[in-house]
């Protein structure tokens, strides 16, 4: 039986942002905000009390910030999914949150459509997972939106972990990026980023956007096709 409604806990220290996020979330069918918390300590208690399906988590907060909160959620094995909504855009924070299992990362300020996209994607994922007791590789790939090209053997020197990191990062971007920008965001060498981007472009998973400026060579920029 499909899950009809998902309970959301907002962990955000700014009351005005709390209200804006609450309004955004409740416009998406199937989601309700069951509680709000002003810091991570209060958030952990409410997760245990309210047992939400999903947490919308800020990073910059008093008492216990979002990084420590997410690490504590994982340490205590609390069964809840997390989407980060934060102004923190440094690669260390983003990497830490994704490594600790954040399902999505939305940068402030953001538009309603970006929140809607994240929640709809989460809803589809949960519905498909809950509809099956066991999953085949093909079903799992479809749920995770892994294109067939991504499950093929990669050329020598490329690995699936970095490929997934590059692909996931590009999916979150609205503007095209250069190899240097991708490399800087993910903490890898520019030449390494270029190899993955070239592979993804060759296999039709991203688009090449050649931009001509003033003097100098044109810049190859890449954007996800999805």
């Amino acid at each position: 039986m499909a899950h009809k409604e998902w309970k959301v806990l907002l962990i955000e220290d700014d009351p005005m942002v709390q209200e804006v996020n609450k309004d955004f979330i409740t416009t998406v069918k199937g989601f309700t905000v069951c509680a709000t918390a002003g810091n991570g300590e209060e958030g952990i208690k409410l997760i245990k009390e309210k047992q939400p399906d999903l947490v919308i988590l800020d990073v910059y907060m008093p008492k216990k910030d979002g990084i420590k909160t997410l690490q504590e959620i994982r340490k205590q094995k609390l069964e809840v999914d997390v989407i980060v909504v934060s102004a923190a855009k440094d690669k260390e924070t983003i990497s830490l949150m994704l490594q600790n299992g954040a399902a999505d990362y939305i940068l402030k300020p953001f538009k309603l459509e970006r929140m809607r996209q994240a929640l709809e994607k989460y809803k589809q994922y949960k519905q498909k997972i809950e509809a099956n007791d066991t999953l085949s590789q093909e079903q799992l790939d479809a749920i995770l939106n892994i294109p067939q090209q991504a499950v093929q053997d990669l050329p020598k020197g490329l690995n699936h972990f970095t490929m997934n990191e590059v692909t996931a990062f590009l999916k979150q971007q609205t503007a095209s990026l250069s190899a240097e920008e991708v490399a800087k965001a993910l903490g890898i060498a520019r030449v390494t980023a270029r190899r993955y981007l070239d592979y993804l472009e060759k296999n039709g998973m991203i688009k090449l956007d050649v931009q001509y400026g003033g003097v100098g060579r044109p810049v190859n920029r890449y954007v996800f096709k999805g």
Side-chain angles (χ1 to χ4, degrees):
M1 185 174 176
H3 195 135
K4 296 298 182 183
E5 189 173 71
W6 284 267
K7 295 192 298 181
V8 181
L9 168 65
L10 271 174
I11 306 180
E12 161 69 57
D13 67 316
D14 187 323
M16 288 184 65
V17 177
Q18 271 190 14
E19 285 305 308
V20 170
N21 287 353
K22 189 174 181 178
D23 289 343
F24 276 13
I25 292 163
T26 52
T27 64
V28 183
K29 186 178 179 181
F31 291 90
T32 180
V33 177
C34 64
T36 58
N39 59 69
E41 286 185 3
E42 184 184 354
I44 295 290
K45 291 177 184 176
L46 283 171
I47 290 171
K48 295 175 180 177
E49 180 185 326
K50 301 290 186 179
Q51 296 188 327
D53 302 286
L54 177 65
V55 166
I56 302 294
L57 179 65
D58 189 18
V59 172
Y60 300 133
M61 295 183 296
K63 294 187 179 179
K64 190 187 287 285
D65 65 22
I67 294 173
K68 292 177 181 176
T69 301
L70 183 51
Q71 289 172 337
E72 188 66 25
I73 288 170
R74 300 309 177 212
K75 183 180 178 181
Q76 294 193 31
K77 294 182 171 61
L78 302 177
E79 293 186 12
V80 67
D81 295 302
V82 175
I83 291 176
V84 179
V85 177
S86 175
K89 58 177 64 177
D90 60 285
K91 67 180 182 183
E92 290 82 6
T93 298
I94 293 171
S95 294
L96 265 174
M97 299 306 268
L98 294 176
Q99 285 165 7
N100 280 278
D104 203 343
Y105 198 113
I106 302 174
L107 289 172
K108 296 178 182 175
F110 62 92
K111 295 180 180 178
L112 168 60
E113 191 52 41
R114 183 61 180 88
M115 176 69 82
R116 185 189 304 279
Q117 180 189 60
L119 294 178
E120 290 290 355
K121 182 180 176 183
Y122 172 79
K123 178 165 66 175
Q124 291 171 15
Y125 163 74
K126 294 297 285 187
Q127 286 174 335
K128 289 174 182 175
I129 286 288
E130 290 172 4
N132 299 279
D133 292 326
T134 60
L135 295 166
S136 67
Q137 185 66 63
E138 289 76 16
Q139 287 173 315
L140 186 55
D141 289 345
I143 290 170
L144 298 175
N145 292 317
I146 298 175
Q148 281 302 292
Q149 293 95 326
V151 296
Q152 295 173 351
D153 289 335
L154 295 174
K156 187 176 180 181
L158 302 186
N159 65 75
H160 286 288
F161 178 80
T162 305
M163 183 67 73
N164 290 338
E165 272 199 324
V166 173
T167 304
F169 174 70
L170 287 175
K171 279 183 179 180
Q172 295 171 7
Q173 311 308 309
T174 54
S176 59
L177 297 175
S178 67
E180 186 172 358
E181 289 168 329
V182 173
K184 187 175 181 181
L186 297 177
I188 59 178
R190 185 186 63 80
V191 66
T192 301
R194 182 63 182 271
R195 290 193 65 198
Y196 284 93
L197 292 167
D198 285 346
Y199 176 83
L200 290 169
E201 192 269 329
K202 180 181 176 184
N203 283 277
M205 295 159 68
I206 61 175
K207 291 189 293 186
L208 175 61
D209 176 22
V210 181
Q211 295 190 1
Y212 297 88
V215 294
R217 300 171 59 187
V219 177
N220 288 346
R221 303 180 73 84
Y222 304 85
V223 63
F224 195 77
K225 277 188 173 183

